[in-house]
Amino acid sequence: MNQIENLSPDQFLPEMQSRAEKLLAVIIEKRKSLANAPVGRLRVAMHGKQWHCYHVSPSSDSNGVYIPKEKIKFIKRLAQKDYDGALLKELERQL
């Protein structure tokens, strides 16, 4: 049985308000994160048995520019940007 089904009407509203506040806090955090994220997106492709990462920006072609392994922090930031964007979209849908 779902936990929400066990709540009485007077408990339900505070629970929903609490959930909305938590969602709003995460939405604000992710918007700030996206504002500080690098421009463009990450494209990952497999060549043989190795993964290659590319930075696709508005000024580059659709394939993007290869990112060497030495720039792993930049790769992680682009990946986090993609994740944060998807998460933000879902959180806003739930709110």
Side-chain angles (χ1 to χ4, degrees), residues 42-47 50-54 66-67:
L42 181 66
R43 183 176 75 84
V44 181
M46 186 164 217
H47 293 283
Q50 294 183 339
W51 292 100
H52 289 212
C53 295
Y54 298 88
Y66 175 74
I67 308 171

Side-chain angles (χ1 to χ4, degrees), residues 10-92:
D10 59 328
Q11 292 175 322
F12 182 74
L13 185 58
E15 286 293 323
M16 292 304 296
Q17 288 174 333
S18 173
R19 172 76 175 152
E21 289 170 2
K22 290 175 186 176
L23 288 174
L24 191 56
V26 176
I27 287 171
I28 291 169
E29 177 187 333
K30 293 305 167 187
R31 283 182 180 163
K32 286 180 184 177
S33 175
L34 286 172
N36 296 325
V39 176
R41 64 179 180 83
L42 181 66
R43 183 176 75 84
V44 181
M46 186 164 217
H47 293 283
K49 294 183 180 182
Q50 294 183 339
W51 292 100
H52 289 212
C53 295
Y54 298 88
H55 180 210
V56 180
S57 63
S59 61
S60 68
D61 64 4
S62 61
N63 290 326
V65 178
Y66 175 74
I67 308 171
K69 288 182 185 178
E70 293 78 30
K71 294 188 176 185
I72 189 71
K73 286 184 180 181
F74 183 68
I75 293 169
K76 287 180 180 181
R77 288 182 65 209
L78 284 173
Q80 187 65 49
K81 178 185 175 183
D82 289 346
Y83 176 80
D84 287 349
L87 178 62
L88 183 61
K89 185 177 178 180
E90 177 61 24
L91 292 173
E92 288 174 339

